[in-house]
Amino acid sequence: MKTSIVGIGQTEFSKDSGRSELKLALEAILAAVADAGLEVDDIDGLVRYTWDHTTEAAIVNALGLDHLNYYGETEFGGVNCCGAVAQASAAIEAGLASCIVFYRTLNARSGVRYGRGERVLAEEDGWLVSRQPEPPGDIYSAPFGLLVPGQHHALYAQAYKGHYGLTDDRFTEMLGSVAVTQRAYANRNPRALLKDRTLDMDDYRAGRVITAPLRVYDYCLETDGAMALVIVSRERARGLSAKAVDVLSAGQYIFPGSVPMYLYAEKAYSLVPEAAGEELFGKAGLSPSDIDVAMLYDATSMMVPLALEDFGFIGRGEAQDFLTSGGNGPGGRLPVNTHGGLLSEGYFHGLNTIAEGVRQLRGESHNQVEAETAFVTLRGASSMILGRA
Amino acid sequence: MTVIRPSDEYLDQPFWKHLAAGTLHLNCCNDCGGAHHPPSPICPRCRSFDTGWKPASGRGTLKSFAVAEHPVHPMLADQVPYVITLVDLEEGVRMVSGIPKGTEAALEIGMALQCRVVRFDDRFALPYFLPVAGAGEK
Ligand SMILES: [Zn+2]
């Protein structure tokens, strides 16, 4: 890719924003454009998730934009956080637009909650009824009570635990290391929803089981708010005052049974074939050992060991040793989710995951790492490598 | 457990009609003989549109399981805890299933399972998978 992220903007993370998703989106977009040192009228392209409740038309009308040359949608939600950047980059490289904003707005705590079955079920004649053609909550899984993404993650977790023959204790230590390490990062991050709440391994072990083997601290935070990123060509980025971060490689990778929930993917204990990483790293001319910091979309803590192994940062089955020895922590071999992650900072469907990669490469993280490169992925379905400009 | 069903328009489809009649059938290819799930208008192996239905052997292995302790809907409050399973069938397909409420089962990844169709009314039944007797012993 020959593009750069030149602006990041967001509202606060909250449990009840008290305003519409459209207003949140507009606040985030204005903040991102200001961060880039650009004018609102410079926007000539928009990218959004199909799951977003706002529309391109609503944004164009609300902002009174002169015109858009390009608008694109990527399927699902966070699955495509890096895919959306790839799409914006491709549009810019093809000359369809020159300044594209990728945004996500959601009242995911005070409004429609992804952790609740109500999103996919209707009540009829004393029954709960599914009409969903695809997971989560589709007609083939809902009758067994498999309704929300967090329950799918428990299935991956148990498959991994069984495949590697981990004891309950060892498995608990592995995932607890993710939750505890990321909470400590969040405690130093003033933006984080859980900045004031500490978590140690005893707290983690005592956490309520939501869907075994996952506890409450393994789950991301349902969050209200919005975030936006501004993407321009690398050439144009060099002429701006903004601190640009280059998109070295970005793409999507899906296969039968994978998206949206990897329910039918062959190996439930590994979600991505090696080819996904080879493709991504190959395009950037880098290898996993060249990466300085990683942002691994952690809808649950289980996504961290899976992504570390699936992309070759560590060997298969090595996540337990890597995580329990602090490999993901400050000074570790590969610091991971230094904002606190979706577990402890907040959950803007991947945009805050990308933003922390950008902040690291700008030198603006609250848990700063000496970093020239950052890796971002959602379960391999979309991934990206960012580089310091 | 279930208090959840597919809407009526789905229950008229062959997968659900076979279950309501008491047997698990799989969507299969009349050309190459492969089975696929969920049902699809085309065979994903040879891309033949000539697909049909055949009875499943009912034999499978446990790929994964999870125990829902937290009810994600108010109507599930008296259903938890319940067990969700992923089952790899002998025919090479993956299905979501579970353990019927009130049935005790010690689960272990890779263990042998056998299908048991449980009917809820004359239109709706579900394919549960239970450990084969003795399969847990080593
Ligand atoms: Zn075929």
Side-chain angles (χ1 to χ4, degrees):
Chain A
M1 296 287 169
K2 295 187 177 63
T3 55
S4 305
I5 297 172
V6 291
I8 52 178
Q10 69 174 96
T11 66
E12 75 288 0
F13 297 97
S14 79
K15 294 287 178 197
D16 185 0
S17 71
R19 48 214 201 271
S20 70
E21 292 182 337
L22 176 60
K23 183 158 190 291
L24 293 168
L26 299 169
E27 290 175 19
I29 292 170
L30 294 193
V33 170
D35 182 60
L38 289 164
E39 302 295 328
V40 174
D41 287 324
D42 288 324
I43 301 171
D44 63 356
L46 286 175
V47 172
R48 60 182 280 271
Y49 296 137
T50 54
W51 284 3
D52 202 277
H53 298 138
T54 64
T55 62
E56 299 83 2
I59 302 295
V60 169
N61 292 334
L63 291 178
L65 292 178
D66 186 59
H67 69 284
L68 290 185
N69 292 323
Y70 173 80
Y71 57 92
E73 298 178 352
T74 59
E75 179 62 307
F76 316 119
V79 163
N80 259 318
C81 56
C82 300
V85 174
Q87 184 172 334
S89 297
I92 288 168
E93 289 177 28
L96 299 178
S98 61
C99 176
I100 297 183
V101 169
F102 165 35
Y103 73 96
R104 175 63 166 143
T105 179
L106 65 177
N107 280 325
R109 182 62 179 79
S110 68
V112 176
R113 297 175 59 183
Y114 285 83
R116 297 295 302 173
E118 287 91 330
R119 192 171 77 95
V120 291
L121 298 174
E123 279 184 57
E124 291 172 21
D125 304 325
W127 288 85
L128 290 170
V129 171
S130 166
R131 289 191 171 78
Q132 300 287 322
E134 287 181 339
D138 68 290
I139 55 165
Y140 300 104
S141 56
F144 297 101
L146 179 56
L147 298 165
V148 302
Q151 295 171 331
H152 287 254
H153 286 236
L155 291 167
Y156 315 146
Q158 188 71 54
Y160 184 97
K161 181 172 181 270
H163 180 75
Y164 291 107
L166 299 188
T167 62
D168 288 347
D169 267 0
R170 192 69 180 144
F171 184 76
T172 297
E173 281 172 21
M174 177 178 82
L175 291 191
S177 298
V178 174
V180 169
T181 299
Q182 292 190 192
R183 181 63 63 81
Y185 283 137
N187 293 149
R188 291 187 288 272
N189 171 3
R191 284 185 311 274
L193 269 178
L194 299 184
K195 63 178 182 295
D196 297 325
R197 291 178 34 196
T198 59
L199 182 77
D200 65 22
M201 198 54 108
D202 289 338
D203 300 327
Y204 174 83
R205 284 179 206 280
R208 185 164 59 100
V209 172
I210 301 297
T211 297
L214 299 182
R215 296 171 167 79
V216 64
Y217 300 116
D218 293 310
Y219 283 92
C220 64
L221 305 167
E222 292 173 307
T223 308
D224 283 11
M227 184 145 205
L229 309 175
V230 182
I231 301 154
V232 302
S233 72
R234 208 175 286 180
E235 186 185 358
R236 184 169 180 191
R238 297 296 183 266
L240 296 174
S241 58
K243 288 186 193 165
V245 166
D246 293 340
V247 180
L248 302 183
S249 171
Q252 300 167 305
Y253 194 99
I254 67 171
F255 52 95
S258 61
V259 292
M261 290 311 308
Y262 289 72
L263 199 45
Y264 301 99
E266 190 189 344
K267 301 174 184 170
Y269 57 87
S270 154
L271 300 180
V272 191
E274 265 121 41
E278 287 163 10
E279 175 89 13
L280 185 80
F281 282 102
K283 282 181 181 159
L286 296 171
S287 69
S289 61
D290 296 318
I291 299 298
D292 298 318
V293 64
M295 303 304 152
L296 310 176
Y297 189 106
D298 52 327
T300 65
S301 58
M302 192 61 215
M303 294 296 92
V304 171
L306 290 178
L308 287 169
E309 295 185 7
D310 282 347
F311 283 93
F313 293 109
I314 55 176
R316 295 277 173 201
E318 290 177 8
Q320 42 173 327
D321 291 334
F322 180 86
L323 293 167
T324 56
S325 66
N328 56 327
R333 204 169 97 208
L334 183 67
V336 174
N337 294 339
T338 50
H339 49 331
L342 310 179
L343 302 183
S344 288
E345 188 191 48
Y347 187 27
F348 288 163
H349 266 167
L351 276 82
N352 57 311
T353 306
I354 295 171
E356 178 66 7
V358 170
R359 289 187 177 109
Q360 280 288 356
L361 297 174
R362 287 175 166 191
E364 294 175 353
S365 171
H366 292 283
N367 293 283
Q368 188 62 46
V369 170
E370 202 48 55
E372 294 291 323
T373 56
F375 174 83
V376 186
T377 191
L378 180 131
R379 224 185 286 150
S382 81
S383 310
M384 178 162 65
I385 298 171
L386 298 172
R388 189 185 282 263
Chain B
M1 91 132 226
T2 199
V3 293
I4 306 167
R5 60 196 286 157
S7 59
D8 281 348
E9 63 269 28
Y10 286 109
L11 294 180
D12 290 333
Q13 295 177 353
F15 179 80
W16 297 103
K17 288 183 93 157
H18 282 297
L19 284 170
T23 56
L24 171 64
H25 277 58
L26 295 173
N27 202 189
C28 61
C29 175
N30 291 330
D31 283 330
C32 75
H36 48 268
H37 182 79
S40 160
I42 193 167
C43 169
R45 289 180 191 77
C46 72
R47 286 142 193 174
S48 167
F49 283 106
D50 184 9
T51 65
W53 295 86
K54 67 180 177 191
S57 71
R59 288 188 289 274
T61 57
L62 183 65
K63 186 71 180 178
S64 191
F65 64 98
V67 186
E69 302 274 356
H70 173 74
V72 296
H73 190 284
M75 283 176 68
L76 299 177
D78 59 0
Q79 302 289 320
V80 292
Y82 59 85
V83 180
I84 304 160
T85 57
L86 287 186
V87 182
D88 283 347
L89 273 64
E90 189 176 70
E91 289 84 355
V93 303
R94 166 92 40 90
M95 295 187 76
V96 175
S97 185
I99 301 294
K101 196 75 184 155
T103 305
E104 290 294 318
L107 298 180
E108 204 172 306
I109 305 285
M111 77 193 308
L113 302 171
Q114 179 66 41
C115 182
R116 183 201 291 172
V117 175
V118 175
R119 292 179 75 185
F120 294 90
D121 57 36
D122 55 3
R123 293 195 71 192
F124 177 48
L126 286 174
Y128 288 93
F129 284 80
L130 295 175
V132 175
E137 296 167 15
K138 285 184 178 163

